Amino acid sequence: MNVEQAAGNSATNGRRKRLPRAEREQQILAVAEQVFATNSYQATSMDDIAHRVGLSKPMLYEYFGSKEGLLVACVERARRELLDATTEAAAGAAGDSAQLLHDCLLAFFRFSDDHAQSWALLRNEAAIPVATVNTELEATREQQTELTARLLEASRPELDQVRLEAFAESIIGACERLAMWREKRPEITAEHATQHLMALISPSLMPQA
């Protein structure tokens, strides 16, 4: 059963039983994420989302205030999911700091596979001229950069903060480009992408004499 079918069933049941607000919000976000990722922000209307969720448009505005507010909430949720995936990988990894970084990179690429709609939302909405959305997108990059910098610091404690930040920013940029490249090269698995990137950055993880 896909998201839209589930939302339709919930809407039917909702006539008999009112959903808690938090559960309803998650239902709306799931449908909106799918629609935004498929149709783009500009081509999506609040009427369309309201219809698919089974709510009136005024009720949708009551929850999120505007289409922009709904998109921001979708991006925020995708950002939390990405952070959860990468920090869980770091917490569960065994071995040295290079292995930790490897596992976090692998988690990022698997996230783009397993959460295709979330990834499409994070990637495709970068061109939207909406300040709050761009702020959320940049916050996503910053959270991943901070996590990467901490892992790099464990490998190279002698590096100064500026060099750590520069390395981390470069790795996150490379992750985004590789994830986009993989869309044109479906034979490249998450594991392959991780191996390619680790081959590039591994020399920088070795302490300098």
Side-chain angles (χ1 to χ4, degrees):
M1 180 183 297
N2 61 30
V3 172
E4 189 173 338
Q5 288 173 327
N9 289 343
S10 295
T12 300
N13 294 336
R15 295 187 192 73
R16 298 190 297 270
K17 181 180 179 180
R18 184 180 181 86
L19 289 177
R21 183 180 181 90
E23 185 176 342
R24 177 69 77 184
E25 285 181 353
Q26 291 305 307
Q27 179 196 74
I28 295 169
L29 289 173
V31 173
E33 181 181 290
Q34 182 182 59
V35 177
F36 283 138
T38 302
N39 299 340
S40 83
Y41 175 76
Q42 291 89 343
T44 297
S45 71
M46 292 291 269
D47 285 304
D48 186 25
I49 294 173
H51 174 73
R52 296 186 188 211
V53 176
L55 290 176
S56 65
K57 187 165 71 169
M59 182 63 70
L60 196 59
Y61 277 102
E62 180 180 325
Y63 275 88
F64 296 100
S66 64
K67 187 170 77 166
E68 176 185 328
L70 179 54
L71 177 62
V72 169
C74 286
V75 173
E76 287 175 342
R77 190 175 80 150
R79 176 159 62 93
R80 288 194 301 270
E81 290 174 347
L82 177 57
L83 181 61
D84 288 345
T86 50
T87 54
E88 182 179 349
D96 59 21
S97 51
Q99 185 64 44
L100 292 177
L101 181 58
H102 170 280
D103 291 350
C104 286
L105 294 176
L106 181 58
F108 173 87
F109 291 119
R110 284 178 173 170
F111 176 88
S112 69
D113 289 339
D114 298 339
H115 302 273
Q117 292 171 358
S118 296
W119 168 246
L121 196 65
L122 290 171
R123 177 177 58 80
N124 294 337
E125 301 309 327
I128 293 179
V130 178
T132 50
V133 174
N134 289 327
T135 297
E136 280 300 319
L137 290 167
E138 186 57 29
T140 302
R141 294 186 179 94
E142 288 176 358
Q143 79 175 13
Q144 297 307 121
T145 299
E146 290 171 4
L147 175 61
T148 303
R150 290 199 301 272
L151 297 176
L152 288 173
E153 187 174 20
S155 287
R156 300 286 307 278
E158 80 281 6
L159 291 179
D160 62 47
Q161 192 62 36
V162 173
R163 181 61 62 87
L164 283 173
E165 290 178 7
F167 280 9
E169 291 281 0
S170 299
I171 291 170
I172 295 307
C175 283
E176 291 187 17
R177 291 303 308 174
L178 275 175
M180 295 173 69
W181 173 65
R182 290 183 60 219
E183 294 180 5
K184 299 178 289 186
R185 298 288 299 273
E187 74 276 12
I188 303 297
T189 66
E191 288 76 12
H192 291 149
T194 303
Q195 291 168 7
H196 292 320
L197 189 51
M198 286 300 294
L200 176 66
I201 65 178
S202 287
S204 298
L205 300 178
M206 299 299 294
Q208 302 298 306

